[in-house]
Amino acid sequence: MESYTIGQAARLLGVSVDTARRWADAERFPTRREGARRMVDGPDLAAFCVRAAQEAGEGEEAPYTSARNAFPGIVTAVKLGTVDAQVEIQAGPHRVVSLLTREAVEELGLEVGAQAVARVKSTSVFIDRA
């Protein structure tokens, strides 16, 4: 079973180490000691991630979409072409780049600094083990 330090857990959760420590202190996810290090077991961290994502979405109106992989973030770059456009979103630790029409970018009012959600639905998703 894979285990993570609080620092590694914080990076995976996209929060500061202090936030991860506060969550552990509040027993939002279990930790154990290995010498001087606090460790989080992989299955416990995975379960917490699912709960945290569900809690974050509570109270929000669900969008009408079949795409379940949503990455809320902030627009960091917009490159407009004559017909097409490239939009970059920083979603926590993830950089998401999308190619879409210039018309869509203009209709959505996408500009650097705007909040946006990248939704991904794909038949081919590649996963690398870290």
Side-chain angles (χ1 to χ4, degrees):
M1 171 174 44
E2 197 151 344
S3 296
Y4 302 94
T5 65
I6 290 289
Q8 291 169 323
R11 278 191 298 282
L12 292 169
L13 293 166
V15 298
S16 71
V17 174
D18 287 336
T19 296
R21 280 192 193 113
R22 281 193 297 274
W23 287 348
D25 291 343
E27 299 179 357
R28 292 192 65 192
F29 56 85
T31 61
R32 59 183 167 72
R33 290 273 180 197
E34 275 187 17
R37 294 178 142 190
R38 288 174 78 178
M39 303 297 292
V40 183
D41 290 333
D44 292 330
L45 185 60
F48 173 74
C49 287
V50 171
R51 283 193 315 274
Q54 290 170 342
E55 290 169 7
E58 288 177 2
E60 294 179 9
E61 187 175 317
Y64 294 103
T65 179
S66 63
R68 298 292 178 240
N69 302 307
F71 298 89
I74 187 166
V75 176
T76 56
V78 177
K79 297 174 187 164
L80 295 174
T82 306
V83 176
D84 60 348
Q86 177 179 315
V87 177
E88 293 182 25
I89 295 175
Q90 192 66 39
H94 308 289
R95 176 178 166 255
V96 181
V97 180
S98 179
L99 300 175
L100 56 162
T101 65
R102 180 185 181 120
E103 180 181 13
V105 170
E106 290 169 349
E107 284 179 8
L108 291 170
L110 296 177
E111 58 187 21
V112 173
Q115 289 185 42
V117 178
R119 295 197 183 276
V120 179
K121 184 169 184 175
S122 177
T123 56
S124 298
V125 176
F126 301 93
I127 299 175
D128 295 336
R129 182 174 168 110

